[in-house]
Amino acid sequence: DAGVTQSPTHLIKTRGQQVTLRCSPKSGHDTVSWYQQALGQGPQFIFQYYEEEERQRGNFPDRFSGHQFPNYSSELNVNALLLGDSALYLCASSRGPNQPQHFGDGTRLSIL
Amino acid sequence: AQRVTQPEKLLSVFKGAPVELKCNYSYSGSPELFWYVQYSRQRLQLLLRHISRESIKGFTADLNKGETSFHLKKPFAQEEDSAMYYCALHEAGTALIFGKGTTLSVSS
């Protein structure tokens, strides 16, 4: 079992562009959560998807949106990128919304 | 307001010394608390959850509701314990709220 997989590993974008990050959950997991981790900070919760719906959302603007597919994989979309969006984006999956989360390696997003 | 506070950014100890990584939280309900660890070049992984009350790799953590703390302890540190440690609070209806993390450095 490969665990949680995220793609791409690294991404470089410029201000104003849009980006899509992808996540495949661990086998048997149906819930996906996304986090943003800025340098020197702990991960910050963006949102969680369960049963293909956004279940909960952290304090992030509408520029951040997501989707969950029937196979439980998920995408994170960020529009109108800002320099401050540069961070490591982590995906975590769990067997249900309130179960322990397993993390992927993350996608390092750099905005120029 | 900071919901999970890890006051130490860096904790340096010698091999064999006791370790205590501090974590304080702010939550009005019944909290569910976790410790996550990230070793060098590895992904973030769950170390402990308070409801399981188990010892993993010699680490234990007790929830103290009176002091709103969930400190991580190990009686004798090993060099392989060197890593970044995050305390996290699971708030009902959301995912995890993380502290800023503490880097533990164990030297011989």
Side-chain angles (χ1 to χ4, degrees), chain A residues 28-49:
Chain A
H29 288 187
D30 58 7
T31 304
V32 172
S33 303
W34 286 93
Y35 295 83
Q36 181 195 66
Q37 186 173 20
L39 205 59
Q41 303 292 316
Q44 275 200 292
F45 173 61
I46 303 175
F47 41 54
Q48 183 181 73
Y49 277 85

Side-chain angles (χ1 to χ4, degrees), chain B residues 48-56 59-63 70:
Chain B
L48 285 177
R49 57 188 304 199
H50 89 272
I51 61 172
S52 58
R53 300 186 65 82
E54 57 192 345
S55 172
I56 303 292
F59 284 98
T60 59
D62 290 319
L63 178 62
F70 187 56

Side-chain angles (χ1 to χ4, degrees), chain A residues 80-97:
Chain A
L81 287 165
L82 304 173
L83 292 177
D85 295 332
S86 293
L88 180 68
Y89 288 84
L90 295 169
C91 172
S93 72
S94 56
R95 200 187 301 265

Side-chain angles (χ1 to χ4, degrees), chain A residues 9-111:
Chain A
T9 307
H10 295 91
L11 204 48
I12 299 174
K13 292 285 187 179
T14 56
R15 280 180 298 174
Q17 284 189 310
Q18 177 265 342
V19 70
T20 297
L21 310 181
R22 295 176 176 81
C23 172
S24 292
K26 184 177 166 72
S27 178
H29 288 187
D30 58 7
T31 304
V32 172
S33 303
W34 286 93
Y35 295 83
Q36 181 195 66
Q37 186 173 20
L39 205 59
Q41 303 292 316
Q44 275 200 292
F45 173 61
I46 303 175
F47 41 54
Q48 183 181 73
Y49 277 85
Y50 174 65
E51 294 185 335
E52 300 180 50
E53 289 191 2
E54 184 182 291
R55 188 174 176 273
Q56 289 292 335
R57 188 180 184 92
N59 189 25
F60 278 80
D62 292 344
R63 298 187 297 109
F64 289 77
S65 63
H67 189 77
Q68 186 179 34
F69 299 93
N71 66 353
Y72 308 120
S73 67
S74 177
E75 287 181 351
L76 163 65
N77 301 293
V78 188
N79 294 322
L81 287 165
L82 304 173
L83 292 177
D85 295 332
S86 293
L88 180 68
Y89 288 84
L90 295 169
C91 172
S93 72
S94 56
R95 200 187 301 265
N98 296 313
Q99 295 304 309
Q101 298 183 14
H102 296 249
F103 284 81
D105 288 328
T107 293
R108 174 75 59 189
L109 176 64
S110 299
I111 311 301

Side-chain angles (χ1 to χ4, degrees), chain B:
Chain B
Q2 189 78 21
R3 306 298 296 279
V4 179
T5 305
Q6 294 180 251
E8 303 136 331
K9 199 167 184 177
L10 172 66
L11 184 63
S12 296
V13 301
F14 287 107
K15 179 181 169 182
V19 169
E20 183 177 68
L21 297 166
K22 291 185 168 53
C23 173
N24 288 91
Y25 65 91
S26 172
Y27 186 59
S28 56
S30 291
E32 187 175 3
L33 286 144
F34 301 83
W35 277 99
Y36 278 82
V37 61
Q38 188 166 29
Y39 300 102
S40 179
R41 295 192 177 85
Q42 294 187 27
R43 61 183 59 181
L44 198 59
Q45 55 187 283
L46 177 65
L47 179 63
L48 285 177
R49 57 188 304 199
H50 89 272
I51 61 172
S52 58
R53 300 186 65 82
E54 57 192 345
S55 172
I56 303 292
K57 299 184 180 182
F59 284 98
T60 59
D62 290 319
L63 178 62
N64 186 324
K65 290 186 179 180
E67 295 182 359
T68 59
S69 68
F70 187 56
H71 302 328
L72 183 67
K73 299 177 184 178
K74 184 169 183 176
F76 308 103
Q78 302 298 316
E79 287 182 77
E80 55 265 30
D81 296 327
S82 295
M84 176 70 97
Y85 291 81
Y86 292 97
C87 181
L89 167 72
H90 180 234
E91 196 172 64
T94 72
L96 295 168
I97 299 171
F98 285 85
K100 292 187 178 182
T102 298
T103 299
L104 174 64
S105 176
V106 182
S107 53
S108 56

